[in-house]
Amino acid sequence: MSDDRRWWSDCALCSALAASLLWANLAAAQTASTEQPPPAAPAAPKGIWDRSNLFGDMGGLRTTLGDYGITLGLTETSEVLGNVTGGVHQGAAYDGVTQLTVAADLGKMIGLDGAIFNVSGLQIHGRNLSTDNLHSLQTASGIEADRSTRLWELWYQQSFLHGKFDVKLGQQSLDQEFMISQQSSIFINTMMGWPLIPSVDLYGGGPVYPLATPGVRLRGQPTDTITILGGVFDDNPPGGPFNNDSQLRGAAQTGTRFNFNTGALFIAELQYALNAAPASPAEGAPPAGLPGTYKLGFWYDTATFPDQRFDQNGVSLANPASTGIARMRRGNFSIYGLMDQVVWQPDPKSARALGVFARFMGAPEDRNLINFSLDAGVTLKAPFAGRDSDTVGLGYGFGQISGSASSLDKDVGRFTGTAYPVRSSESFIELTYQAQIAPWWLVQPDLQYVFNPGGGIPNPNVPGARIKNEFVLGLRTNITF
């Protein structure tokens, strides 16, 4: 039995024992529970421009489902993006995703307090501008993906100790909880959500949208200000070799391929909430101050990863005498830090607030194309009078090509005797405005400018030239049905 298979077998046994203990604690907690049922929700607004969902109560369906603890969510995100300069050619593309989510509060449904079951699916449509036109590392949109109708998440969560601790088991997308910034989430560029290093350096871009992966996630909140996240997950949702797009084949296309043959991805994150509002604030207490969130984390992948420069014999992959098969290196890791901080708010009761965010990540250079990434920016909530739900943001992203990958480019030039481009770094700036037209409808114009696309890769349509800088215009709309 391989090390990975043996590890997963041990993990399964430990999970079974842990589950038995959790169920025992749950039974005791249910016996001692004295919590009162939550108050009835106020009647939903009837006007189409006031309701939180376009379809409202759907003829009483949402209320009926809610009586049984079931919440139904349906959203459509659509966008048109186009590059007016740069890229391998200019043009525009439409893409979109429909997401259906069903969540069940098992406490309300069957009396299992603190238990939630969640299942979601995706219908991805349209074309991918980044793949077709841009060839950038920091892709233009976080919803771009291969066209498919697929299962996304499927998990069960159980909380304990009055919500201070919970466990989530099942198929999960890590970008829903790990490495995320609340302020950067308004931006369209992919790397403002899931960072560049795992997007490029992990198998299949990591277990994130549109992929998800089986795993176990633990979360504890020992105080109002400290949260600890940790988990272990399969590291290769689509299966197959490294850097191989297998979303379109077999079960990988439908999201039902549960791969356990590559490696395990361990991840942990420590979060600190500055000036966090207390769970039970004292009446008349002064504001705590400007809120902020600070995170420090790491991930480690047990799989093997291809060397960026050398083959199995230690010969440069650019050397004609090379086997052409990269040396495989065991294990990969990254360390990251993240900051979200409100720096100005004229009135604690006002929606207007100016915030800044920054996130950095580092990884080994011998087995990774990107060994350092940074994204940062500033956002202003309620930028205009009467537009309390709007947000404007200016962001920046940077990715450093590893020294090993750059050295391989130099080797290519030396062995071929040509002026082959040497990759260095890629960066972009993004200006975006998120307008809340109605509680259920967002419209978002967006501008992006990409410097040195791909880190300076050759343009396949223009021999000897790099891909020129790219100016991307876009418009996104999001509707909650």
Side-chain angles (χ1 to χ4, degrees):
M1 180 181 292
S2 67
D3 292 341
D4 288 333
R5 289 179 179 274
R6 184 178 297 109
W7 184 91
W8 281 109
S9 297
D10 293 343
C11 182
L13 177 59
C14 291
S15 299
L17 293 174
S20 298
L21 292 173
L22 293 177
W23 280 110
N25 290 336
L26 173 62
Q30 287 179 304
T31 302
S33 176
T34 58
E35 295 182 0
Q36 298 298 317
K46 294 183 179 180
I48 189 173
W49 298 107
D50 300 319
R51 60 180 64 155
S52 59
N53 304 283
L54 174 60
F55 292 162
D57 197 31
M58 299 175 69
L61 176 61
R62 279 197 164 98
T63 297
T64 301
L65 292 175
D67 291 340
Y68 292 95
I70 299 174
T71 301
L72 177 67
L74 180 63
T75 63
E76 166 65 26
T77 302
S78 297
E79 62 192 14
V80 175
L81 300 171
N83 60 311
V84 296
T85 67
V88 294
H89 52 77
Q90 287 79 55
Y94 162 82
D95 66 284
V97 57
T98 306
Q99 179 180 339
L100 173 65
T101 302
V102 178
D105 180 345
L106 300 185
K108 193 171 184 179
M109 180 180 289
I110 58 175
L112 192 57
D113 291 341
I116 300 172
F117 175 78
N118 181 92
V119 59
S120 58
L122 306 171
Q123 205 296 308
I124 303 168
H125 37 277
R127 300 194 62 83
N128 190 322
L129 182 77
S130 297
T131 298
D132 295 345
N133 291 19
L134 307 181
H135 293 200
S136 57
L137 294 167
Q138 298 169 105
T139 48
S141 170
I143 68 170
E144 290 176 324
D146 293 334
R147 292 189 293 270
S148 60
T149 299
R150 60 189 304 123
L151 172 70
W152 190 22
E153 292 194 299
L154 177 67
W155 48 258
Y156 170 82
Q157 178 175 297
Q158 179 65 62
S159 64
F160 304 91
L161 304 175
H162 304 288
K164 292 293 186 180
F165 177 76
D166 62 69
V167 181
K168 184 189 287 186
L169 307 167
Q171 178 149 302
Q172 304 170 50
S173 186
L174 270 63
D175 55 350
Q176 301 303 293
E177 295 185 297
F178 290 93
M179 306 186 205
I180 58 173
S181 161
Q182 293 301 318
Q183 292 190 54
S184 71
S185 64
I186 74 160
F187 292 89
I188 289 179
N189 189 283
T190 306
M191 306 315 153
M192 290 301 194
W194 185 245
L196 178 60
I197 280 184
S199 294
V200 174
D201 295 343
L202 286 178
Y203 282 78
V208 296
Y209 169 92
L211 308 173
T213 192
V216 180
R217 191 274 288 141
L218 308 177
R219 175 171 56 193
Q221 191 174 12
T223 71
D224 289 340
T225 60
I226 295 176
T227 301
I228 303 170
L229 277 176
V232 57
F233 306 88
D234 167 62
D235 73 334
N236 186 7
F242 183 82
N243 205 25
N244 181 57
D245 185 2
S246 56
Q247 293 182 32
L248 292 178
R249 291 197 292 275
Q253 184 179 13
T254 61
T256 56
R257 178 174 184 175
F258 307 112
N259 174 56
F260 292 101
N261 297 321
T262 307
L265 178 63
F266 293 86
I267 184 168
E269 186 174 289
L270 176 65
Q271 305 176 357
Y272 175 73
L274 178 68
N275 296 322
S280 302
E283 187 174 351
L290 297 176
T293 303
Y294 296 80
K295 302 177 182 180
L296 183 65
F298 79 93
W299 56 258
Y300 178 79
D301 194 322
T302 66
T304 57
F305 293 80
D307 192 280
Q308 293 296 303
R309 186 183 184 188
F310 297 112
D311 70 6
Q312 302 149 310
N313 300 319
V315 177
S316 172
L317 290 164
N319 191 325
S322 169
T323 64
I325 301 174
R327 172 190 296 175
M328 299 301 291
R329 295 185 176 273
R330 171 64 63 176
N332 202 355
F333 68 91
S334 176
I335 299 173
Y336 63 91
L338 187 154
M339 173 196 74
D340 271 313
Q341 179 64 57
V342 175
V343 295
W344 175 76
Q345 190 173 20
D347 183 344
K349 297 181 180 179
S350 168
R352 179 166 295 175
L354 182 70
V356 295
F357 68 90
R359 177 177 53 191
F360 68 88
M361 300 190 74
E365 71 168 34
D366 58 355
R367 67 207 66 190
N368 293 305
L369 175 61
I370 303 295
N371 70 317
F372 177 78
S373 70
L374 169 72
D375 46 85
V378 58
T379 62
L380 177 61
K381 184 76 172 178
F384 305 111
R387 303 298 306 174
D388 286 357
S389 297
D390 290 4
T391 306
V392 61
L394 178 64
Y396 170 78
F398 172 84
Q400 177 69 49
I401 302 294
S402 70
S404 293
S406 296
S407 295
L408 178 62
D409 294 338
K410 295 176 183 177
D411 292 344
V412 172
R414 184 169 66 253
F415 283 111
T416 61
T418 62
Y420 191 81
V422 177
R423 292 167 292 174
S424 55
S425 65
E426 178 191 273
S427 58
F428 75 92
I429 55 174
E430 179 177 0
L431 176 64
T432 197
Y433 187 95
Q434 196 174 76
Q436 190 89 49
I437 307 302
W440 48 267
W441 185 17
L442 285 171
V443 174
Q444 184 171 358
D446 188 79
L447 305 177
Q448 299 181 42
Y449 195 85
V450 182
F451 301 89
N452 209 30
I457 58 176
N459 188 329
N461 298 330
V462 185
R466 301 172 187 259
I467 296 178
K468 293 182 179 180
N469 294 350
E470 300 158 344
F471 183 33
V472 180
L473 305 177
L475 180 66
R476 172 181 287 185
T477 180
N478 179 274
I479 296 176
T480 302
F481 295 98

